[in-house]
Amino acid sequence: MSESPLDLVIVGAGFSGLAMAIRARQAGFDRFLVLEKAAGIGGTWRENTYPGAACDVPSQLYSLSFAPKSDWTRLFAPQPEIKTYLEGLVAEHGLAPFLRLKTRVVRAVFDATAGLWRVETDGGTISARVLVGAMGALHHPALPRLPGLERFSGTAFHSAAWDHSCDLRGKRVGVIGTGASAVQFVPEIVGRAAHLTQFQRSAPWILPRGDRPTGHGLRRLMRVTPLRRLYRASLFWRREVAALLGFTRVSTVTALAEAGARRHLAASIADPALRRKLTPDYRLGCKRVLLSDEYYPALARPNVSLVTAPIREVLPHGLVTADGAEHPLDVLIFATGFSPGGSVLRTEVIGRGGVSLLQAWKDGADAFRGVSVAGFPNFFLLLGPNTGLGHNSVLLMVEAQVAHVLDALQRLRDHPGGMLEVRPEAQARFRGEVDARMRDSIWMRGGCGSWYLDRSGRNRTLWPGPVGDYVRGTERIRAEDYNLFDPQRPANTMQRPAEASDAD
Ligand SMILES: Cc1cc2nc3c(=O)[nH]c(=O)nc-3n(C[C@H](O)[C@H](O)[C@H](O)COP(=O)(O)OP(=O)(O)OC[C@H]3O[C@@H](n4cnc5c(N)ncnc54)[C@H](O)[C@@H]3O)c2cc1C
């Protein structure tokens, strides 16, 4: 481990951490490390290896704008291809020397006297001026608390930790959960299982996916930069406009989309009773809208049962539902998503005055533009609170956040020993903006409870406005939002960054 302080430590080598590393290198920083607890890079795309795993935003948009790839094999690339893309970025941008794999950050403490973050890992302590948390929002599998689960004698696993040694052929398989992962893997495994029981708490809205291989013609066109940009922009705007009209408030667009989704359901499910069970009882967009052409046909197969009664308990050989019915099972697969909040809540981050992030967030996760937190100088989050997207590529958000951090790094380079800290009033202003935009949104008015909402019913997960607004307001650090403390010029303590640069 490095002895002398680094300019930057990035925690996590998923899409966000790697994007940060590439941009830092391109801006001339070479005294930084990316710390990753796993043995490989890729985060989400290293872990989610379940059958059928793929992105649900077209790959030309779900990839980094500054690292384009013309030859995605499908409209929605499968997991191995996305992982290979990320590994390619490491090679192409010479990131290997900056990576420390199998290095878990357990605690990070801000040393205000030295103006440094002391980053404690399971392999020693590293000091750095700037700390970036790119630890993933959807990283820790959420398991439901089911009475008797420990008694289950079959094989049980979560979709994000797929047990590839478990042969599903001829088995009675139970799937708990009907989210984005389930709709991808159920069609893949249904043909192998003797019987598949899908346990559903609430029916998801599902729209057609239209996945297809990318033909040679399109791949050739994608090599032409202006055409690729145009295509990417068209993918972006289609999603952006639909979301703005349908999600930021309940509107006729919502009703039109619902009608389309009902037609999609009716086209695959002939049985009216099954169709009724699969019809959501809340407005489209309130929970994540799913894309699939295969999930409904999979459920219509004769070896599948859809169970909507709540699960009461787990027995050694199956499940019992609240209606008293027993469902014998050999394999239980949890498609129950992830604990909201992500890894940053599991890593002790201690800012100025010994206050931990958990203490600062006792009433809920809160960060200025999802990136910086008052009391935590020179600390930045990627994909922090309220920067998730239900409808578009989150990498657009990541890129804006990376630009924000880069701006901070460049300003700090001009102020040795300096500390940048978001003003509490800027953080409060951003929270107010989020809450105001959220008020009439589908997530609050759509008649559902979802993992987007915290215990108090506040949405701390999604950005509730146009992606363009977020990007424009985030890419640069603005004078009125941050304080800069420069120990070389203590008289100017708490001067604003723009004023500081003006003074140079
Ligand atoms: C199955 C699935 C499909 C998805 N599809 C899409 C999609 O189509 N479009 C979209 O926009 N988004 C999608 N997402 C969201 C996806 O998570 C993000 O797009 C993106 O991959 C997140 O990247 P990340 O680097 O922020 O986090 P992650 O990929 O989760 O990476 C975080 C990394 O940090 C490491 N880490 C965590 N804690 C520590 C620690 N204490 N010390 C060291 N290392 C640590 C982890 O091991 C991990 O490698 C999907 C998510 C899932 C689960």
Short mmCIF file of all heavy atoms in Angstrom, two decimals, residues 11-18 35-38 40-48 50 53-58 62 76 82 86 103-106 134-140 160 180-181 184 288 338 343-344 346-347 382-383 389 392-395 398, ligand 1:
data_model
loop_
_atom_site.label_atom_id
_atom_site.label_comp_id
_atom_site.label_asym_id
_atom_site.label_seq_id
_atom_site.Cartn_x
_atom_site.Cartn_y
_atom_site.Cartn_z
N VAL A 11 -13.49 4.07 -4.47
CA VAL A 11 -13.88 2.79 -3.90
C VAL A 11 -14.93 2.14 -4.82
O VAL A 11 -16.02 2.68 -4.99
CB VAL A 11 -14.45 2.93 -2.48
CG1 VAL A 11 -14.62 1.55 -1.84
CG2 VAL A 11 -13.56 3.82 -1.63
N GLY A 12 -14.57 1.02 -5.40
CA GLY A 12 -15.49 0.30 -6.28
C GLY A 12 -15.04 0.35 -7.73
O GLY A 12 -14.69 1.42 -8.25
N ALA A 13 -15.03 -0.82 -8.37
CA ALA A 13 -14.58 -0.91 -9.77
C ALA A 13 -15.71 -1.42 -10.66
O ALA A 13 -15.54 -2.33 -11.47
CB ALA A 13 -13.34 -1.79 -9.89
N GLY A 14 -16.91 -0.82 -10.46
CA GLY A 14 -18.01 -1.07 -11.40
C GLY A 14 -17.98 0.02 -12.47
O GLY A 14 -16.96 0.72 -12.64
N PHE A 15 -19.09 0.17 -13.17
CA PHE A 15 -19.19 1.20 -14.21
C PHE A 15 -18.74 2.57 -13.68
O PHE A 15 -17.96 3.29 -14.32
CB PHE A 15 -20.64 1.31 -14.69
CG PHE A 15 -20.87 0.79 -16.08
CD1 PHE A 15 -21.74 -0.27 -16.32
CD2 PHE A 15 -20.24 1.36 -17.16
CE1 PHE A 15 -21.97 -0.75 -17.60
CE2 PHE A 15 -20.46 0.90 -18.46
CZ PHE A 15 -21.33 -0.16 -18.68
N SER A 16 -19.24 2.94 -12.47
CA SER A 16 -18.99 4.29 -11.96
C SER A 16 -17.52 4.50 -11.62
O SER A 16 -16.91 5.49 -12.05
CB SER A 16 -19.82 4.55 -10.70
OG SER A 16 -21.17 4.33 -10.92
N GLY A 17 -16.96 3.57 -10.86
CA GLY A 17 -15.56 3.71 -10.44
C GLY A 17 -14.62 3.72 -11.64
O GLY A 17 -13.66 4.50 -11.70
N LEU A 18 -14.92 2.88 -12.62
CA LEU A 18 -14.05 2.82 -13.81
C LEU A 18 -14.19 4.11 -14.63
O LEU A 18 -13.20 4.63 -15.15
CB LEU A 18 -14.39 1.59 -14.66
CG LEU A 18 -14.08 0.24 -13.99
CD1 LEU A 18 -14.51 -0.92 -14.88
CD2 LEU A 18 -12.60 0.10 -13.61
N LEU A 35 -10.00 0.98 -5.37
CA LEU A 35 -10.01 -0.15 -4.44
C LEU A 35 -11.28 -0.96 -4.66
O LEU A 35 -12.39 -0.40 -4.65
CB LEU A 35 -9.96 0.35 -2.99
CG LEU A 35 -8.84 1.35 -2.67
CD1 LEU A 35 -8.90 1.76 -1.20
CD2 LEU A 35 -7.47 0.78 -3.01
N GLU A 36 -11.13 -2.24 -4.84
CA GLU A 36 -12.28 -3.10 -5.15
C GLU A 36 -12.19 -4.35 -4.29
O GLU A 36 -11.18 -5.03 -4.28
CB GLU A 36 -12.27 -3.46 -6.64
CG GLU A 36 -13.22 -4.57 -7.05
CD GLU A 36 -14.68 -4.30 -6.67
OE1 GLU A 36 -15.23 -3.29 -7.12
OE2 GLU A 36 -15.26 -5.11 -5.92
N LYS A 37 -13.27 -4.62 -3.56
CA LYS A 37 -13.22 -5.76 -2.63
C LYS A 37 -13.23 -7.10 -3.34
O LYS A 37 -12.71 -8.08 -2.83
CB LYS A 37 -14.35 -5.67 -1.61
CG LYS A 37 -15.75 -5.84 -2.15
CD LYS A 37 -16.73 -5.64 -1.01
CE LYS A 37 -18.13 -5.38 -1.45
NZ LYS A 37 -18.86 -6.50 -2.01
N ALA A 38 -13.81 -7.14 -4.53
CA ALA A 38 -13.90 -8.43 -5.24
C ALA A 38 -12.60 -8.73 -5.98
O ALA A 38 -11.71 -7.89 -6.08
CB ALA A 38 -15.07 -8.39 -6.22
N GLY A 40 -12.43 -9.27 -9.12
CA GLY A 40 -12.48 -8.79 -10.49
C GLY A 40 -13.26 -7.49 -10.56
O GLY A 40 -13.93 -7.09 -9.60
N ILE A 41 -13.19 -6.84 -11.72
CA ILE A 41 -13.91 -5.58 -11.90
C ILE A 41 -15.32 -5.87 -12.44
O ILE A 41 -15.64 -7.01 -12.75
CB ILE A 41 -13.16 -4.65 -12.88
CG1 ILE A 41 -13.06 -5.30 -14.27
CG2 ILE A 41 -11.77 -4.32 -12.36
CD1 ILE A 41 -13.86 -4.64 -15.30
N GLY A 42 -16.14 -4.85 -12.53
CA GLY A 42 -17.43 -5.02 -13.20
C GLY A 42 -18.65 -4.81 -12.33
O GLY A 42 -19.73 -4.55 -12.82
N GLY A 43 -18.49 -4.95 -10.99
CA GLY A 43 -19.61 -4.70 -10.08
C GLY A 43 -20.86 -5.48 -10.48
O GLY A 43 -20.83 -6.72 -10.58
N THR A 44 -21.93 -4.77 -10.74
CA THR A 44 -23.22 -5.35 -11.16
C THR A 44 -23.02 -6.42 -12.23
O THR A 44 -23.65 -7.49 -12.17
CB THR A 44 -24.11 -4.23 -11.75
OG1 THR A 44 -24.45 -3.33 -10.71
CG2 THR A 44 -25.36 -4.79 -12.39
N TRP A 45 -22.14 -6.13 -13.17
CA TRP A 45 -22.01 -7.01 -14.34
C TRP A 45 -21.01 -8.13 -14.12
O TRP A 45 -20.79 -8.97 -14.99
CB TRP A 45 -21.70 -6.16 -15.59
CG TRP A 45 -22.83 -5.19 -15.76
CD1 TRP A 45 -22.80 -3.85 -15.45
CD2 TRP A 45 -24.17 -5.50 -16.17
NE1 TRP A 45 -24.05 -3.31 -15.67
CE2 TRP A 45 -24.91 -4.29 -16.11
CE3 TRP A 45 -24.82 -6.67 -16.58
CZ2 TRP A 45 -26.27 -4.23 -16.44
CZ3 TRP A 45 -26.16 -6.59 -16.92
CH2 TRP A 45 -26.87 -5.38 -16.85
N ARG A 46 -20.39 -8.13 -12.96
CA ARG A 46 -19.59 -9.29 -12.55
C ARG A 46 -20.48 -10.23 -11.74
O ARG A 46 -20.36 -11.46 -11.81
CB ARG A 46 -18.42 -8.79 -11.69
CG ARG A 46 -17.48 -9.86 -11.18
CD ARG A 46 -16.57 -9.31 -10.10
NE ARG A 46 -17.33 -8.94 -8.91
CZ ARG A 46 -17.36 -7.72 -8.37
NH1 ARG A 46 -16.66 -6.74 -8.89
NH2 ARG A 46 -18.10 -7.47 -7.30
N GLU A 47 -21.40 -9.63 -10.98
CA GLU A 47 -22.15 -10.43 -10.01
C GLU A 47 -23.41 -11.06 -10.58
O GLU A 47 -23.76 -12.17 -10.23
CB GLU A 47 -22.52 -9.55 -8.81
CG GLU A 47 -21.39 -9.46 -7.82
CD GLU A 47 -21.33 -8.12 -7.14
OE1 GLU A 47 -22.37 -7.47 -7.00
OE2 GLU A 47 -20.22 -7.71 -6.75
N ASN A 48 -24.11 -10.32 -11.43
CA ASN A 48 -25.41 -10.82 -11.92
C ASN A 48 -25.21 -11.69 -13.16
O ASN A 48 -25.24 -11.21 -14.29
CB ASN A 48 -26.34 -9.65 -12.22
CG ASN A 48 -26.79 -8.99 -10.93
OD1 ASN A 48 -27.81 -9.36 -10.35
ND2 ASN A 48 -26.00 -8.04 -10.45
N TYR A 50 -27.05 -14.47 -13.77
CA TYR A 50 -28.21 -15.36 -13.93
C TYR A 50 -28.55 -15.54 -15.41
O TYR A 50 -28.23 -14.67 -16.23
CB TYR A 50 -29.41 -14.83 -13.14
CG TYR A 50 -29.87 -13.44 -13.50
CD1 TYR A 50 -30.63 -13.19 -14.63
CD2 TYR A 50 -29.53 -12.35 -12.69
CE1 TYR A 50 -31.05 -11.92 -14.97
CE2 TYR A 50 -29.95 -11.06 -13.02
CZ TYR A 50 -30.71 -10.86 -14.16
OH TYR A 50 -31.12 -9.59 -14.49
N ALA A 53 -29.43 -12.62 -18.08
CA ALA A 53 -29.07 -11.30 -17.55
C ALA A 53 -28.62 -10.39 -18.69
O ALA A 53 -27.77 -10.77 -19.50
CB ALA A 53 -27.97 -11.41 -16.50
N ALA A 54 -29.18 -9.21 -18.74
CA ALA A 54 -28.87 -8.26 -19.81
C ALA A 54 -29.29 -6.88 -19.34
O ALA A 54 -30.05 -6.75 -18.37
CB ALA A 54 -29.64 -8.62 -21.08
N CYS A 55 -28.83 -5.86 -20.03
CA CYS A 55 -29.30 -4.51 -19.68
C CYS A 55 -30.71 -4.32 -20.24
O CYS A 55 -31.13 -5.06 -21.15
CB CYS A 55 -28.35 -3.45 -20.22
SG CYS A 55 -27.99 -3.57 -21.96
N ASP A 56 -31.43 -3.35 -19.68
CA ASP A 56 -32.77 -3.09 -20.23
C ASP A 56 -32.89 -1.67 -20.78
O ASP A 56 -33.98 -1.16 -20.98
CB ASP A 56 -33.89 -3.45 -19.24
CG ASP A 56 -33.70 -2.79 -17.90
OD1 ASP A 56 -32.88 -1.87 -17.82
OD2 ASP A 56 -34.38 -3.19 -16.93
N VAL A 57 -31.74 -1.07 -20.99
CA VAL A 57 -31.64 0.17 -21.77
C VAL A 57 -30.73 -0.22 -22.94
O VAL A 57 -29.71 -0.88 -22.72
CB VAL A 57 -30.99 1.30 -20.93
CG1 VAL A 57 -30.60 2.48 -21.79
CG2 VAL A 57 -31.93 1.73 -19.80
N PRO A 58 -31.06 0.14 -24.18
CA PRO A 58 -30.23 -0.30 -25.30
C PRO A 58 -28.75 0.01 -25.10
O PRO A 58 -28.39 1.08 -24.59
CB PRO A 58 -30.81 0.47 -26.49
CG PRO A 58 -32.23 0.70 -26.12
CD PRO A 58 -32.23 0.92 -24.62
N TYR A 62 -26.63 2.50 -22.99
CA TYR A 62 -26.10 1.98 -21.73
C TYR A 62 -24.62 1.62 -21.92
O TYR A 62 -24.21 0.46 -21.85
CB TYR A 62 -26.90 0.77 -21.25
CG TYR A 62 -26.50 0.35 -19.84
CD1 TYR A 62 -26.66 1.20 -18.76
CD2 TYR A 62 -25.94 -0.90 -19.60
CE1 TYR A 62 -26.26 0.84 -17.49
CE2 TYR A 62 -25.55 -1.27 -18.32
CZ TYR A 62 -25.71 -0.39 -17.27
OH TYR A 62 -25.30 -0.74 -16.01
N PHE A 76 -30.03 -5.12 -26.67
CA PHE A 76 -29.78 -5.14 -25.22
C PHE A 76 -28.69 -6.18 -24.97
O PHE A 76 -28.97 -7.39 -24.99
CB PHE A 76 -31.05 -5.53 -24.45
CG PHE A 76 -32.20 -4.59 -24.67
CD1 PHE A 76 -33.19 -4.87 -25.60
CD2 PHE A 76 -32.31 -3.41 -23.94
CE1 PHE A 76 -34.26 -4.00 -25.80
CE2 PHE A 76 -33.38 -2.53 -24.14
CZ PHE A 76 -34.35 -2.83 -25.07
N ILE A 82 -21.34 -7.14 -21.57
CA ILE A 82 -21.14 -5.88 -20.83
C ILE A 82 -19.89 -6.02 -19.94
O ILE A 82 -19.07 -5.10 -19.85
CB ILE A 82 -22.38 -5.53 -19.97
CG1 ILE A 82 -23.63 -5.45 -20.88
CG2 ILE A 82 -22.17 -4.22 -19.23
CD1 ILE A 82 -24.94 -5.27 -20.14
N LEU A 86 -16.40 -3.77 -20.05
CA LEU A 86 -15.76 -3.11 -18.91
C LEU A 86 -14.30 -3.56 -18.77
O LEU A 86 -13.41 -2.76 -18.50
CB LEU A 86 -16.55 -3.39 -17.62
CG LEU A 86 -17.91 -2.69 -17.56
CD1 LEU A 86 -18.75 -3.20 -16.39
CD2 LEU A 86 -17.74 -1.18 -17.45
N THR A 103 -9.49 -5.79 -2.17
CA THR A 103 -9.18 -4.78 -1.15
C THR A 103 -10.48 -4.12 -0.72
O THR A 103 -11.05 -3.31 -1.45
CB THR A 103 -8.20 -3.72 -1.73
OG1 THR A 103 -7.05 -4.41 -2.24
CG2 THR A 103 -7.78 -2.73 -0.68
N ARG A 104 -10.92 -4.49 0.45
CA ARG A 104 -12.20 -3.97 0.95
C ARG A 104 -11.96 -2.75 1.84
O ARG A 104 -11.12 -2.80 2.75
CB ARG A 104 -12.90 -5.06 1.77
CG ARG A 104 -14.22 -4.62 2.40
CD ARG A 104 -14.69 -5.62 3.42
NE ARG A 104 -14.99 -6.89 2.79
CZ ARG A 104 -16.19 -7.20 2.28
NH1 ARG A 104 -17.18 -6.33 2.37
NH2 ARG A 104 -16.39 -8.36 1.72
N VAL A 105 -12.66 -1.69 1.56
CA VAL A 105 -12.58 -0.53 2.43
C VAL A 105 -13.53 -0.77 3.60
O VAL A 105 -14.72 -1.04 3.39
CB VAL A 105 -12.97 0.76 1.67
CG1 VAL A 105 -13.09 1.94 2.61
CG2 VAL A 105 -11.94 1.04 0.58
N VAL A 106 -13.00 -0.70 4.81
CA VAL A 106 -13.85 -0.95 5.97
C VAL A 106 -14.25 0.35 6.65
O VAL A 106 -15.32 0.45 7.26
CB VAL A 106 -13.18 -1.91 6.98
CG1 VAL A 106 -13.21 -3.33 6.46
CG2 VAL A 106 -11.76 -1.51 7.30
N ALA A 134 -17.83 4.83 -5.04
CA ALA A 134 -18.52 4.30 -6.24
C ALA A 134 -18.88 2.86 -5.93
O ALA A 134 -18.53 1.93 -6.65
CB ALA A 134 -17.62 4.40 -7.46
N MET A 135 -19.59 2.69 -4.80
CA MET A 135 -19.75 1.36 -4.21
C MET A 135 -21.02 0.65 -4.62
O MET A 135 -21.30 -0.43 -4.14
CB MET A 135 -19.68 1.49 -2.69
CG MET A 135 -18.32 1.95 -2.22
SD MET A 135 -18.31 2.21 -0.45
CE MET A 135 -18.14 3.95 -0.35
N GLY A 136 -21.79 1.30 -5.48
CA GLY A 136 -22.96 0.60 -6.02
C GLY A 136 -24.21 0.79 -5.18
O GLY A 136 -24.18 0.68 -3.95
N ALA A 137 -25.30 1.09 -5.88
CA ALA A 137 -26.58 1.26 -5.19
C ALA A 137 -27.35 -0.06 -5.13
O ALA A 137 -28.13 -0.30 -4.21
CB ALA A 137 -27.41 2.33 -5.90
N LEU A 138 -27.14 -0.89 -6.13
CA LEU A 138 -27.86 -2.18 -6.19
C LEU A 138 -26.82 -3.29 -6.05
O LEU A 138 -26.41 -3.91 -7.02
CB LEU A 138 -28.60 -2.31 -7.52
CG LEU A 138 -29.58 -1.19 -7.86
CD1 LEU A 138 -30.22 -1.42 -9.21
CD2 LEU A 138 -30.65 -1.08 -6.78
N HIS A 139 -26.38 -3.48 -4.84
CA HIS A 139 -25.23 -4.36 -4.65
C HIS A 139 -25.48 -5.44 -3.61
O HIS A 139 -25.00 -6.56 -3.75
CB HIS A 139 -24.03 -3.48 -4.26
CG HIS A 139 -22.77 -4.26 -4.07
ND1 HIS A 139 -22.21 -5.02 -5.08
CD2 HIS A 139 -21.97 -4.41 -2.99
CE1 HIS A 139 -21.11 -5.59 -4.62
NE2 HIS A 139 -20.95 -5.25 -3.36
N HIS A 140 -26.22 -5.09 -2.57
CA HIS A 140 -26.44 -6.07 -1.50
C HIS A 140 -27.81 -6.72 -1.68
O HIS A 140 -28.85 -6.06 -1.49
CB HIS A 140 -26.33 -5.41 -0.13
CG HIS A 140 -24.93 -4.98 0.17
ND1 HIS A 140 -24.00 -5.85 0.67
CD2 HIS A 140 -24.31 -3.82 -0.02
CE1 HIS A 140 -22.84 -5.22 0.79
NE2 HIS A 140 -23.00 -3.98 0.37
N ALA A 160 -28.77 -12.59 -7.77
CA ALA A 160 -27.49 -11.90 -7.93
C ALA A 160 -26.31 -12.78 -7.51
O ALA A 160 -25.15 -12.35 -7.62
CB ALA A 160 -27.48 -10.61 -7.13
N ALA A 180 -37.21 -6.96 -12.23
CA ALA A 180 -36.45 -6.93 -13.50
C ALA A 180 -35.66 -8.21 -13.72
O ALA A 180 -35.54 -8.68 -14.86
CB ALA A 180 -35.53 -5.72 -13.49
N SER A 181 -35.09 -8.78 -12.65
CA SER A 181 -34.28 -10.00 -12.84
C SER A 181 -35.17 -11.19 -13.16
O SER A 181 -34.88 -11.97 -14.08
CB SER A 181 -33.46 -10.31 -11.59
OG SER A 181 -32.63 -9.22 -11.28
N GLN A 184 -36.30 -11.64 -16.59
CA GLN A 184 -35.23 -12.06 -17.52
C GLN A 184 -34.92 -13.55 -17.38
O GLN A 184 -34.69 -14.22 -18.37
CB GLN A 184 -33.96 -11.23 -17.28
CG GLN A 184 -34.12 -9.76 -17.72
CD GLN A 184 -32.83 -8.96 -17.66
OE1 GLN A 184 -31.87 -9.34 -17.01
NE2 GLN A 184 -32.81 -7.81 -18.34
N ARG A 288 -40.78 0.08 -11.15
CA ARG A 288 -39.99 0.02 -12.38
C ARG A 288 -40.79 -0.69 -13.48
O ARG A 288 -41.33 -1.77 -13.25
CB ARG A 288 -38.69 -0.75 -12.11
CG ARG A 288 -37.68 -0.59 -13.21
CD ARG A 288 -36.41 -1.34 -12.90
NE ARG A 288 -35.51 -1.23 -14.03
CZ ARG A 288 -34.58 -0.31 -14.16
NH1 ARG A 288 -34.41 0.58 -13.21
NH2 ARG A 288 -33.82 -0.27 -15.23
N PHE A 338 -32.52 -5.67 -4.23
CA PHE A 338 -31.35 -5.28 -3.45
C PHE A 338 -31.76 -4.37 -2.31
O PHE A 338 -32.79 -3.70 -2.38
CB PHE A 338 -30.36 -4.55 -4.37
CG PHE A 338 -29.89 -5.44 -5.50
CD1 PHE A 338 -30.63 -5.53 -6.67
CD2 PHE A 338 -28.76 -6.22 -5.36
CE1 PHE A 338 -30.24 -6.38 -7.70
CE2 PHE A 338 -28.37 -7.08 -6.38
CZ PHE A 338 -29.10 -7.16 -7.55
N SER A 343 -23.81 0.02 -0.73
CA SER A 343 -22.66 -0.30 0.10
C SER A 343 -22.20 0.85 0.98
O SER A 343 -21.60 0.62 2.03
CB SER A 343 -21.48 -0.68 -0.78
OG SER A 343 -21.72 -1.90 -1.37
N VAL A 344 -22.47 2.06 0.54
CA VAL A 344 -21.93 3.18 1.31
C VAL A 344 -22.49 3.16 2.74
O VAL A 344 -21.81 3.54 3.69
CB VAL A 344 -22.20 4.53 0.59
CG1 VAL A 344 -23.66 4.90 0.61
CG2 VAL A 344 -21.34 5.63 1.18
N ARG A 346 -22.91 0.58 4.42
CA ARG A 346 -22.25 -0.50 5.14
C ARG A 346 -20.77 -0.23 5.37
O ARG A 346 -20.05 -1.05 5.89
CB ARG A 346 -22.41 -1.81 4.37
CG ARG A 346 -23.82 -2.35 4.42
CD ARG A 346 -23.95 -3.50 3.45
NE ARG A 346 -25.18 -4.23 3.68
CZ ARG A 346 -26.38 -3.83 3.26
NH1 ARG A 346 -26.47 -2.70 2.60
NH2 ARG A 346 -27.46 -4.53 3.49
N THR A 347 -20.32 0.90 4.89
CA THR A 347 -18.91 1.26 5.06
C THR A 347 -18.88 2.50 5.96
O THR A 347 -19.60 3.46 5.71
CB THR A 347 -18.29 1.60 3.67
OG1 THR A 347 -18.60 0.54 2.78
CG2 THR A 347 -16.79 1.78 3.77
N LEU A 382 -20.79 8.55 -6.21
CA LEU A 382 -21.32 8.34 -7.56
C LEU A 382 -22.57 7.47 -7.41
O LEU A 382 -22.56 6.47 -6.68
CB LEU A 382 -20.28 7.66 -8.45
CG LEU A 382 -18.96 8.45 -8.60
CD1 LEU A 382 -17.99 7.72 -9.52
CD2 LEU A 382 -19.20 9.86 -9.11
N LEU A 383 -23.62 7.85 -8.09
CA LEU A 383 -24.93 7.21 -7.96
C LEU A 383 -25.42 7.23 -6.51
O LEU A 383 -25.92 6.23 -6.00
CB LEU A 383 -24.93 5.80 -8.55
CG LEU A 383 -24.91 5.73 -10.08
CD1 LEU A 383 -25.01 4.27 -10.56
CD2 LEU A 383 -26.03 6.54 -10.70
N LEU A 389 -32.36 6.25 -12.04
CA LEU A 389 -33.35 6.52 -13.09
C LEU A 389 -34.15 5.25 -13.30
O LEU A 389 -33.58 4.16 -13.33
CB LEU A 389 -32.67 6.89 -14.41
CG LEU A 389 -31.88 8.18 -14.49
CD1 LEU A 389 -31.24 8.32 -15.86
CD2 LEU A 389 -32.76 9.39 -14.21
N ASN A 392 -34.13 5.51 -17.96
CA ASN A 392 -33.06 5.86 -18.89
C ASN A 392 -31.74 5.30 -18.35
O ASN A 392 -31.73 4.73 -17.26
CB ASN A 392 -32.99 7.39 -19.04
CG ASN A 392 -32.71 7.80 -20.49
OD1 ASN A 392 -31.95 7.13 -21.18
ND2 ASN A 392 -33.32 8.87 -20.94
N SER A 393 -30.67 5.49 -19.08
CA SER A 393 -29.39 4.93 -18.65
C SER A 393 -28.82 5.72 -17.48
O SER A 393 -28.59 6.93 -17.59
CB SER A 393 -28.41 4.98 -19.82
OG SER A 393 -27.12 4.67 -19.37
N VAL A 394 -28.56 5.04 -16.37
CA VAL A 394 -27.98 5.76 -15.23
C VAL A 394 -26.57 6.23 -15.52
O VAL A 394 -26.03 7.07 -14.82
CB VAL A 394 -27.95 4.95 -13.90
CG1 VAL A 394 -29.33 4.72 -13.33
CG2 VAL A 394 -27.16 3.69 -14.01
N LEU A 395 -25.99 5.70 -16.59
CA LEU A 395 -24.62 6.12 -16.90
C LEU A 395 -24.57 7.59 -17.30
O LEU A 395 -23.54 8.25 -17.17
CB LEU A 395 -24.02 5.24 -18.00
CG LEU A 395 -24.00 3.74 -17.65
CD1 LEU A 395 -23.36 2.94 -18.77
CD2 LEU A 395 -23.28 3.48 -16.33
N VAL A 398 -24.05 9.13 -14.06
CA VAL A 398 -22.68 8.86 -13.62
C VAL A 398 -21.71 9.81 -14.32
O VAL A 398 -20.83 10.41 -13.70
CB VAL A 398 -22.29 7.39 -13.91
CG1 VAL A 398 -20.79 7.16 -13.69
CG2 VAL A 398 -23.10 6.44 -13.05
C1 LIG B 1 -29.31 -7.02 -13.01
C2 LIG B 1 -29.16 -5.53 -13.17
C3 LIG B 1 -29.41 -4.95 -14.40
C4 LIG B 1 -29.26 -3.58 -14.56
N1 LIG B 1 -29.53 -3.02 -15.77
C5 LIG B 1 -29.42 -1.68 -15.92
C6 LIG B 1 -29.73 -1.07 -17.17
O1 LIG B 1 -30.11 -1.71 -18.14
N2 LIG B 1 -29.64 0.27 -17.27
C7 LIG B 1 -29.24 1.04 -16.21
O2 LIG B 1 -29.16 2.26 -16.35
N3 LIG B 1 -28.91 0.48 -15.02
C8 LIG B 1 -29.00 -0.84 -14.85
N4 LIG B 1 -28.70 -1.41 -13.64
C9 LIG B 1 -28.19 -0.57 -12.55
C10 LIG B 1 -26.65 -0.81 -12.43
O3 LIG B 1 -26.38 -1.20 -11.15
C11 LIG B 1 -25.89 0.43 -12.84
O4 LIG B 1 -26.23 0.72 -14.17
C12 LIG B 1 -24.37 0.31 -12.77
O5 LIG B 1 -23.89 -0.93 -13.21
C13 LIG B 1 -23.88 0.61 -11.37
O6 LIG B 1 -22.50 0.69 -11.38
P1 LIG B 1 -21.70 1.13 -10.08
O7 LIG B 1 -20.26 1.11 -10.44
O8 LIG B 1 -22.25 2.41 -9.58
O9 LIG B 1 -22.05 0.04 -8.99
P2 LIG B 1 -21.70 -1.50 -8.97
O10 LIG B 1 -21.71 -2.05 -10.33
O11 LIG B 1 -22.58 -2.11 -7.94
O12 LIG B 1 -20.20 -1.55 -8.46
C14 LIG B 1 -19.85 -1.24 -7.14
C15 LIG B 1 -18.53 -1.92 -6.83
O13 LIG B 1 -18.07 -1.46 -5.54
C16 LIG B 1 -17.50 -2.56 -4.86
N5 LIG B 1 -17.56 -2.25 -3.42
C17 LIG B 1 -18.67 -2.04 -2.67
N6 LIG B 1 -18.33 -1.78 -1.40
C18 LIG B 1 -16.97 -1.82 -1.34
C19 LIG B 1 -16.03 -1.63 -0.28
N7 LIG B 1 -16.41 -1.33 0.96
N8 LIG B 1 -14.70 -1.76 -0.57
C20 LIG B 1 -14.29 -2.05 -1.84
N9 LIG B 1 -15.16 -2.25 -2.87
C21 LIG B 1 -16.48 -2.13 -2.62
C22 LIG B 1 -18.37 -3.73 -5.26
O14 LIG B 1 -17.75 -4.96 -5.07
C23 LIG B 1 -18.65 -3.42 -6.74
O15 LIG B 1 -17.71 -4.02 -7.58
C24 LIG B 1 -28.86 -2.78 -13.46
C25 LIG B 1 -28.65 -3.37 -12.21
C26 LIG B 1 -28.80 -4.73 -12.06
C27 LIG B 1 -28.57 -5.33 -10.71
#
